[in-house]
Amino acid sequence: MPIRAAQPFHLMLKPAGASCNLACAYCYYLEKAALYPGAALRMDDAVLARVTEAYLAAHPGPEVVFGWQGGEPLLMGLDFFRRAVALQRQYTRPGLRVVNALQTNGTRVDDAWAAFFAEEGFLIGLSVDGPPELHDRYRRDRGGAPTHAHVVEGLRALQRHGVEYNALVTVNRANAGQPLAVYHHLRDLGFEHLQFIPIVERDAAHPSRPTAWSVRAEAYGDFLCAVFDHWARHDVGTVFVQLFESALSVWLGGPPTLCVFAPTCGWGLAVEHNGDLYACDHYVDPAHQRGTVTPESLTALVDGPAQRAFGAAKADLPADCRACQVRRFCGGDCPKHRLRPAADGVPISYLCPAYQRFFTHGAEILHAMAAALRAGRPAVEVMEALQALGR
């Protein structure tokens, strides 16, 4: 019997590597093509089979999520994903639930893709940053043309075929100042599940500074508070915001549900097109390469000392951070966001002011929601409780 990993883990699979039909200004992954000079950046069938077998053998269960990302994974074509699903069925074991989640820019989604996603039960994350004037600021194709209209066409195909989908919304320098315009646009398009991802990228010339398109911390805090207040008044129980759900989980006595807020990490690794394994999607570089995925190696790589040390290092926080009242919600944030030095020299998250503002701002409402949910009250009564607070 294969040796399985010590606890559940997640692989983010990048079958097309950094290849993409868009050239989003803030994309952190396009530059990863330089790791493989001259490569076609396409996962071949042998690597696909090897990674699939290894993942299903090493994962302890009960649910294995194949997370397909890029670049743009749809560049691989439909037949690739048909083979991927067939291999999953070949290598799975009894009692193991296999789920496919795919993140796409949406511009290549048509009825053929949507029909396949519906048939195979894929969860689709669609990248959209708000109305056209905000979305198209940074999300343009390689010829510089806007993409919002093509994304909406892809969304409509998903809706026609009944595919489960959500929105991945980057909060950046352009759209952070218009939170309700972004939120209402997503609602009008039909999104009920939202992920707000802050753009924080280091300036290559000044690594301690963010890029010009990175969201300002104060603006991100204002964005979250504005969306939260509107959501709490109007959309509790009908719209699900990933970050709000993570905070509510903590108020209910559980852990944060986002890896960036967990006290430690290291259980979400990235697999490049050739089977190379990296510590994390945000740490795809030679220093964080763990080896090559094979059925014989994967458990040892996931449970190995290098990966465990990487995950444990997230808990290395300065005294200011350890004493902060919102640390249980944010966990010190993702190490890649830690650009600001604290008093003792240990870096803290660039977004620290945003999280202090939001998790404090939302505390009363989230506490009331948690109490109502523990009492088994339905969503409409939760909303009434919030309104009674005058919020």
Side-chain angles (χ1 to χ4, degrees), residues 10-15 55 65-69 99-103:
H10 176 251
L11 293 185
M12 183 180 293
L13 305 164
K14 296 178 173 286
Y55 193 16
V65 178
F66 282 75
W68 304 98
Q69 294 209 11
V99 176
N100 285 282
L102 185 146
Q103 184 66 40

Side-chain angles (χ1 to χ4, degrees), residues 28-331:
Y28 65 92
Y29 210 80
L30 291 177
E31 66 184 29
K32 305 303 180 183
L35 294 171
Y36 301 98
L41 300 181
R42 296 291 186 273
M43 183 176 284
D44 63 32
D45 288 352
V47 173
L48 176 63
R50 175 162 46 84
V51 170
T52 302
E53 180 184 4
Y55 193 16
L56 292 171
H59 199 287
E63 180 178 276
V64 180
V65 178
F66 282 75
W68 304 98
Q69 294 209 11
E72 174 50 53
L74 298 197
L75 293 177
M76 296 301 298
L78 251 175
D79 287 343
F80 173 87
F81 286 97
R82 291 192 179 103
R83 293 193 295 274
V85 170
L87 286 165
Q88 291 168 7
R89 292 179 177 135
Q90 177 182 338
Y91 287 115
T92 195
R93 61 183 188 268
L96 200 62
R97 180 171 183 257
V98 178
V99 176
N100 285 282
L102 185 146
Q103 184 66 40
T104 176
N105 61 44
T107 62
R108 299 176 69 88
V109 176
D110 57 17
D111 284 301
W113 277 108
F116 169 78
F117 293 146
E119 180 181 356
E120 298 297 345
F122 273 57
L123 168 64
I124 303 301
L126 205 63
S127 294
V128 55
D129 286 353
E133 65 276 13
L134 298 177
H135 174 94
D136 291 331
R137 173 70 178 273
Y138 296 129
R139 300 191 64 81
R140 291 181 171 267
D141 67 20
R142 290 193 168 273
T147 63
H148 182 273
H150 299 297
V151 177
V152 173
E153 289 175 8
L155 171 63
R156 298 310 183 208
L158 297 176
Q159 292 170 332
R160 284 194 297 272
H161 290 269
V163 178
E164 188 176 356
Y165 61 90
N166 60 43
L168 190 155
V169 187
T170 71
V171 184
N172 52 61
R173 195 70 61 91
N175 65 3
Q178 300 190 51
L180 295 186
V182 172
Y183 184 81
H184 289 310
H185 183 69
L186 298 170
R187 293 291 287 119
D188 291 345
L189 287 175
F191 287 102
E192 296 177 350
H193 295 265
L194 311 176
Q195 300 177 53
F196 292 115
I197 310 297
I199 292 294
V200 179
E201 298 298 331
R202 297 173 186 265
D203 187 315
H206 304 281
S208 63
R209 301 179 192 172
T211 57
W213 46 81
S214 294
V215 64
R216 293 184 175 90
E218 292 76 11
Y220 186 50
D222 291 343
F223 181 99
L224 292 176
C225 291
V227 172
F228 180 81
D229 287 348
H230 182 88
W231 169 82
R233 285 194 298 270
H234 303 288
D235 291 330
V236 171
T238 58
V239 176
F240 303 89
V241 180
Q242 190 181 47
L243 191 149
F244 302 166
E245 291 188 353
S246 180
L248 184 59
S249 174
V250 177
W251 279 107
L252 287 167
T257 56
L258 287 170
C259 71
V260 294
F261 295 154
T264 60
C265 60
W267 299 103
L269 300 92
V271 180
E272 255 290 343
H273 70 286
N274 65 345
D276 284 350
L277 183 70
Y278 291 88
C280 170
D281 176 49
H282 291 287
Y283 288 86
V284 174
D285 56 55
H288 293 91
Q289 185 178 347
R290 297 292 178 247
T292 300
V293 174
T294 68
E296 297 76 25
S297 71
L298 183 55
T299 295
L301 297 175
V302 170
D303 287 344
Q307 187 63 8
R308 297 286 64 78
F310 170 82
K314 187 176 190 291
D316 183 15
L317 299 171
D320 298 7
C321 198
R322 292 195 302 272
C324 179
Q325 63 179 346
V326 306
R327 179 171 65 92
R328 64 186 177 126
F329 298 100
C330 77

